[in-house]
Amino acid sequence: MAPVESYAPRVALVTGAGQGIGRAIALRLADEGVDLALNDIPRNEEALKELAEELRKKGRRAVTLIADVSVEEEVKTMVEKAVEELGELNVMIANAGIAHVATVVDTTVEAWEHVFAVNVRGTMLCYKYAAGQMIKQGRGGRIIGASSVMGKKGCPMVSAYCASKFAVRGLTQSLACELAQHNITVNAYAPGVIITEMTRSPHDKDKAEGKHGDSTKALLGLPSHAPDAEPEVIASIVSYLVKPETYFITGQAISVDGGVYMS
Ligand code: NAD
């Protein structure tokens, strides 16, 4: 591998950008001069439009692309529209994801398949269509997915989620092998407890300190006072991974979890 003179993070597509980690990533990349294609599902259309407006006020170009990442035709069209509107695609952040809480015994096939459709098929489709576009452009690129501390360590009550996030790591490693020859790196972030809607639970109030995130910590075997963080800590690692100087980092699922999982 070698640094590619022509690679620059000019245009990024972020899925699940309407809130939480995706939103923080979009804001951070915009601050660093990147134009943004913002994706989410119809439920978050308003939030997405507001974010696009905020990015335009920062002087960036921003388009909103409503699509369900688990549906192939929608992902294909989403990538095509991003390129049509913004001219190219240098960075794909396959961030969208969902969780399901149930024991294995109580997990239905429908719930299992829904989690896998969004977290695994959705990530694969975003990787696939972004990779195709970046190969065609011939200028390298960055593809980044969302794994989790739960993609490194099994936990009770979230088997479908854990298995899907382990799968994201396998997918990330395989694509990294395939795309090295094109100077496209493929990595994932593996967050610990980040304060977003995903880690809000009605059971938080029953835990020792009764704070947002406490139920997620309990699943990880952590006490209420264990570390948590705001989505900006993930935006920070993404900001680093999209820089041209990181051309030698690929196939990794980088833990950003306050030391919960140490490899
Ligand atoms: P979140 O629930 O706040 O946001 C997820 C976003 O994805 C939402 O905007 C949602 O509408 C969107 N989305 C859901 N299904 C979609 C679909 N089919 N197509 C397009 N968009 C869809 O969650 P978050 O905490 O911001 O998590 C972002 C990513 O980081 C997820 O993949 C999650 O699994 C992962 N992650 C989060 C944490 C955490 O502690 N919050 C920890 C580890 C990993």
Side-chain angles (χ1 to χ4, degrees):
M1 297 188 89
V4 193
E5 291 298 328
S6 57
Y7 167 74
R10 283 182 288 262
V11 176
L13 195 165
V14 182
T15 70
Q19 64 187 54
I21 292 173
R23 185 174 191 280
I25 291 171
L27 283 163
R28 176 70 182 253
L29 294 182
D31 282 338
E32 292 172 358
V34 180
D35 291 330
L36 270 305
L38 306 169
N39 155 266
D40 214 300
I41 45 181
R43 185 186 67 196
N44 257 352
E45 186 162 14
E46 272 318 302
L48 213 56
K49 283 187 183 157
E50 281 167 27
L51 176 61
E53 212 32 60
E54 203 172 330
L55 303 190
R56 286 184 202 114
K57 284 191 191 129
K58 290 177 184 285
R60 305 267 51 90
R61 292 184 298 160
V63 294
T64 58
L65 302 167
I66 297 297
D68 178 339
V69 295
S70 67
V71 180
E72 179 160 25
E73 208 43 46
E74 295 189 21
V75 176
K76 183 170 179 283
T77 306
M78 171 179 82
V79 171
E80 283 169 0
K81 280 202 180 143
V83 175
E84 210 174 284
E85 300 270 342
L86 300 172
E88 60 188 321
L89 182 66
N90 319 110
V91 175
M92 163 61 84
I93 313 292
N95 166 75
I98 57 170
H100 177 72
V101 180
T103 62
V104 173
V105 169
D106 288 335
T107 297
T108 61
V109 167
E110 289 73 22
W112 177 273
E113 289 189 341
H114 187 212
V115 170
F116 267 67
V118 177
N119 294 5
V120 186
R121 191 203 302 157
T123 302
M124 184 280 284
L125 290 171
C126 290
Y127 280 17
K128 173 184 159 106
Y129 286 100
Q133 176 62 28
M134 289 176 194
I135 291 169
K136 198 160 68 184
Q137 291 171 181
R139 294 194 296 277
R142 299 285 184 267
I143 295 178
I144 299 174
S147 182
S148 170
V149 62
M150 292 182 183
K152 297 194 172 187
K153 179 181 182 297
C155 294
M157 302 297 292
V158 278
S159 58
Y161 183 77
C162 280
S164 74
K165 295 298 180 179
F166 271 77
V168 168
R169 288 174 55 210
L171 176 67
T172 300
Q173 292 181 15
S174 294
L175 189 64
C177 297
E178 293 173 7
L179 296 188
Q181 62 183 312
H182 299 286
N183 293 301
I184 301 166
T185 67
V186 189
N187 292 290
Y189 42 85
V193 181
I194 306 298
I195 299 304
T196 68
E197 284 311 305
M198 184 172 276
T199 51
R200 188 189 298 283
S201 160
H203 304 296
D204 286 339
K205 62 178 182 343
D206 309 329
K207 307 291 178 223
E209 294 184 14
K211 292 190 282 80
H212 181 157
D214 282 1
S215 299
T216 310
K217 288 178 190 171
L219 297 179
L220 286 159
L222 300 170
S224 291
H225 59 76
D228 54 45
E230 297 297 324
E232 286 70 26
V233 297
I234 307 303
S236 167
I237 191 73
V238 168
S239 145
Y240 178 59
L241 287 172
V242 305
K243 289 189 194 323
E245 72 196 56
T246 63
Y247 69 92
F248 208 49
I249 302 174
T250 194
Q252 306 302 316
I254 300 174
S255 293
V256 184
D257 65 8
V260 174
Y261 179 90
M262 298 190 188
S263 56

